[in-house]
Amino acid sequence: MASPSADDQGPPTSARRERPSRLIDVGVALLLLVADAVIVVVAALLLVAVGLGTAPSPDSSRRVHSRDTPFLAWCVIWGTPAVAAVGAFVHARLRMPVTAVVQALFTLVCGLLAVAWTRMLLS
């Protein structure tokens, strides 16, 4: 039986990347989970604070509408879920399934918070 030619014996990593160890995947996922939780809590507190600050006074019969939300605010509100989605995609491509799931859930929560922020700012 003849051995395969030298051309057929390429390094195995050239066709497929090796995945990181499960321990590294879980460690990165835990670090990102803590960071994501802090981001979500701060965003939710800001949502409540800004929402209460813009609520009309019960004594006032007139409502003041402000449509001058800066473009940078919209970039932050909708950029955060976009960056989280890119992070989930990158971790999936790096073959880190636990981290990819954590980032996908963070993307979902960021999307819901972005919708809530948008509704509050446009009302």
Side-chain angles (χ1 to χ4, degrees):
M1 177 178 232
S3 65
S5 67
D7 294 336
D8 295 338
Q9 292 182 352
T13 58
S14 65
R16 248 177 96 176
R17 284 186 238 155
E18 293 206 22
R19 62 174 274 177
S21 72
R22 180 72 69 182
L23 183 62
I24 291 173
D25 185 19
V26 171
V28 170
L30 287 174
L31 286 173
L32 288 175
L33 182 66
V34 170
D36 295 346
V38 169
I39 291 169
V40 167
V41 167
V42 168
L45 288 175
L46 282 173
L47 181 69
V48 170
V50 170
L52 290 176
T54 60
S57 167
D59 300 335
S60 173
S61 61
R62 168 185 112 183
R63 292 191 63 171
V64 177
H65 288 287
S66 175
R67 300 278 184 201
D68 57 347
T69 304
F71 179 73
L72 184 60
W74 292 114
C75 288
V76 169
I77 290 169
W78 286 102
T80 305
V83 169
V86 169
F89 177 76
V90 167
H91 285 102
R93 293 287 295 165
L94 290 173
R95 300 182 55 188
M96 298 175 75
V98 178
T99 306
V101 168
V102 167
Q103 288 303 99
L105 291 173
F106 178 60
T107 301
L108 179 67
V109 171
C110 283
L112 293 173
L113 279 172
V115 168
W117 270 98
T118 301
R119 288 178 54 97
M120 183 195 63
L121 289 174
L122 293 179
S123 67

